[in-house]
């Protein structure tokens, strides 16, 4: 059966709970415009349904909740001259994400497997962000020459210390221990207990307590210590530097034995990322610290309107997803070729 003949979002009423399941497992449940519209429309319907007490948002399969937006679709459309398509998608995606943040009923996001990019946009607005030991969270956009959007300028910029800048600029994935430490998740359930969660969803009675409290009673996964917690002193030092070149120089000077290997790995990542995407990400996250959520989405859309023409995403998608030569020709090619005016130009005309 073709994907177009398959229901991309499964809609179920399970007692007092409405369930929305992203259903593109072969594509790690990546979002397309049709899915965004179905999600938004159904959430609006359930908001006014007095029989629905809460919503569960999840993905089909064990591999991913949602691995992002369908960036290949946007690349192909832009290349074909349909330049309005990316803006249409991002506008409606951000509207959905903002709606989830403000939703008046509890939304439980079951963040099992990969939760990347657009998946983070869906999950971070949920009132119950439920991890499993299989969860892998990240905003990897700079790897393809983009910037961490879907509200990333809001939720990353509010993480402890400089962790948000580190995760946004570098684009690393983190596991459940790190997600809990950083504040990107609320609870963690062992995947062996997901059957009990299913039973709870089917039998949920608000008279027995809030959905969060009832889920919390199941969420007792044993996890390793957080690597981010151990690295935070180094992260806070290096990623507080004023620009990407200074961050790189600071990392290169790291001599403490407990941080030296991490610093070297981070340098290697920086040297492969889009310099422009990293620099704009840093500037965006610093601005996001003082902006309201709606203004963060507006800022991201303002940058995004320019990015397919002036940023590095087309080259990044070509090199990593289309041709897969893994040799992107970034413009500019090196961080020492960046200048502040080039970065600031993306924010010109933005009105908060």
């Amino acid at each position: 059966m073709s994907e177009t003949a398959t229901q991309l979002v499964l809609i179920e009423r399970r007692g007092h709970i409405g369930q929305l399941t992203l259903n593109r497992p072969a594509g790690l449940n990546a979002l397309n415009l049709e899915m965004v519209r179905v999600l938004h429309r159904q959430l609006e319907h359930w908001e006014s349904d007095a029989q629905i007490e809460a919503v569960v948002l999840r993905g089909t399969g064990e591999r991913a909740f949602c691995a992002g937006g369908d960036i290949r679709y946007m690349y192909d459309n832009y290349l074909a001259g349909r330049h309005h398509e990316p803006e249409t998608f991002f506008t409606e995606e951000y509207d959905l994400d903002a709606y989830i943040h403000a939703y008046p009923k509890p939304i439980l996001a079951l963040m099992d497997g990969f939760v990347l990019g657009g998946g983070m946009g869906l999950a971070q607005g949920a009132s119950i962000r439920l991890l499993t030991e299989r969860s892998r969270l990240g905003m990897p956009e700079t790897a393809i020459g983009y910037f961490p959007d879907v509200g990333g300028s809001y939720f990353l910029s509010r993480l402890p210390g400089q962790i948000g800048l580190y995760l946004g600029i570098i684009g690393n994935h983190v596991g459940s221990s790190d997600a809990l430490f950083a504040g990107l998740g609320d609870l963690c359930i062992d995947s062996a207990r997901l059957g009990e969660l299913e039973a709870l969803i089917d039998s949920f009675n608000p008279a027995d307590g809030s959905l969060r409290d009832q889920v919390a009673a199941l969420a007792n996964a044993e996890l390793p210590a957080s690597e981010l917690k151990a690295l935070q002193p180094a992260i806070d030092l290096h990623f507080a530097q004023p620009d990407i070149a200074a961050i790189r120089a600071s990392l290169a000077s790291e001599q403490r034995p407990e941080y030296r290997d991490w610093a070297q790995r981070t340098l290697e990542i920086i040297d492969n990322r889009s310099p422009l995407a990293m620099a704009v990400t840093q500037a965006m996250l610093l601005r996001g610290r003082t902006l309201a959520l709606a203004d963060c989405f507006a800022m991201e859309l303002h940058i995004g309107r320019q990015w397919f023409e002036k940023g590095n995403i087309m080259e990044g998608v070509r090199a990593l997803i289309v041709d897969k030569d893994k040799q992107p020709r970034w413009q500019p090619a090196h961080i020492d070729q960046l200048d502040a005016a080039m970065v600031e130009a993306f924010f010109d005309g933005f009105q908060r």
Side-chain angles (χ1 to χ4, degrees), residues 278-340:
M278 290 189 294
V280 169
T281 293
Q282 182 188 32
M284 181 188 74
L285 293 179
L286 291 174
R287 284 172 167 82
R289 287 175 172 174
T290 61
L291 295 179
L293 177 63
D295 293 327
C296 283
F297 280 121
M299 175 174 61
E300 293 168 10
L301 193 59
H302 178 81
I303 301 169
R305 287 190 176 113
Q306 308 166 67
W307 201 261
F308 275 75
E309 177 185 356
K310 301 177 183 177
N312 285 172
I313 188 169
M314 294 298 287
E315 173 59 13
V317 174
R318 180 208 65 77
L320 279 81
I321 298 175
V322 180
D323 296 340
K324 298 182 180 179
D325 58 35
K326 299 184 179 180
Q327 298 294 323
R329 297 182 288 272
W330 302 128
Q331 294 296 328
H334 304 289
I335 58 176
D336 56 8
Q337 296 171 326
L338 287 165
D339 65 69

Side-chain angles (χ1 to χ4, degrees), residues 241-259:
Q241 303 305 312
D243 55 40
I244 302 300
I247 290 173
R248 193 194 186 288
S250 184
L251 286 163
S253 71
E254 179 60 75
Q255 296 299 318
R256 290 171 289 181
E258 63 269 36
Y259 302 128

Side-chain angles (χ1 to χ4, degrees), residues 9-173:
V9 179
L10 305 179
I11 302 169
E12 301 175 74
R13 182 187 291 264
R14 302 177 63 180
H16 292 290
I17 289 181
Q19 179 169 279
L20 297 169
T21 304
L22 309 179
N23 191 36
R24 292 182 74 191
L28 298 180
N29 299 319
L31 288 171
N32 62 23
L33 185 58
E34 179 184 348
M35 295 166 74
V36 167
R37 289 173 172 171
V38 170
L39 290 169
H40 204 150
R41 186 165 58 244
Q42 192 61 39
L43 284 170
E44 288 180 331
H45 175 70
W46 280 338
E47 180 181 354
S48 59
D49 187 336
Q51 299 303 309
I52 294 295
E53 297 282 348
V55 175
V56 169
L57 186 57
R58 66 196 305 169
T60 295
E62 299 178 357
R63 295 178 62 201
F65 165 72
C66 173
D70 190 344
I71 197 67
R72 176 64 189 266
Y73 172 82
M74 287 175 271
Y75 171 92
D76 288 341
N77 273 280
Y78 192 86
L79 205 61
R82 295 184 289 273
H83 294 176
H84 66 284
E85 289 288 347
E87 182 174 345
T88 298
F89 175 80
F90 290 127
T91 298
E92 296 196 32
E93 182 187 28
Y94 296 177
D95 285 346
L96 170 62
D97 294 338
Y99 184 51
I100 289 172
H101 276 270
Y103 203 65
K105 297 179 180 181
I107 294 180
L108 185 155
L110 179 54
M111 302 163 71
D112 192 19
F114 287 109
V115 188
L116 307 176
M120 289 285 279
L122 295 175
Q124 290 306 311
S127 48
I128 309 169
R129 298 167 300 171
L130 181 61
L131 307 159
T132 76
E133 79 283 359
R134 301 184 295 222
S135 299
R136 298 295 297 175
L137 282 62
M139 296 295 287
E141 286 79 4
T142 57
I144 59 165
Y146 199 51
F147 59 91
D149 61 338
V150 295
S153 60
Y154 182 84
F155 62 77
L156 288 178
S157 67
R158 284 156 175 78
L159 300 187
Q162 308 299 326
I163 287 175
L165 280 163
Y166 166 62
L167 294 178
I169 292 169
I170 301 302
N172 281 359
H173 299 176

Side-chain angles (χ1 to χ4, degrees), residues 135-255:
S135 299
R136 298 295 297 175
L137 282 62
M139 296 295 287
E141 286 79 4
T142 57
I144 59 165
Y146 199 51
F147 59 91
D149 61 338
V150 295
S153 60
Y154 182 84
F155 62 77
L156 288 178
S157 67
R158 284 156 175 78
L159 300 187
Q162 308 299 326
I163 287 175
L165 280 163
Y166 166 62
L167 294 178
I169 292 169
I170 301 302
N172 281 359
H173 299 176
V174 298
S176 301
S177 299
D178 288 337
L180 290 171
F181 170 72
L184 293 170
D186 300 307
L187 301 166
C188 186
I189 185 172
D190 192 300
S191 59
R193 302 194 71 180
L194 288 176
E196 295 174 69
L197 177 67
E198 301 293 351
L200 169 59
I201 292 170
D202 286 329
S203 64
F204 173 68
N205 185 344
D208 296 331
S210 70
L211 179 61
R212 185 188 184 97
D213 286 347
Q214 293 187 50
V215 171
L218 302 176
N220 59 352
E222 294 186 10
L223 298 171
S226 167
E227 294 180 13
L228 278 182
K229 183 177 182 180
L231 291 170
Q232 185 165 12
I235 290 171
D236 287 353
L237 171 65
H238 301 307
F239 284 83
Q241 303 305 312
D243 55 40
I244 302 300
I247 290 173
R248 193 194 186 288
S250 184
L251 286 163
S253 71
E254 179 60 75
Q255 296 299 318

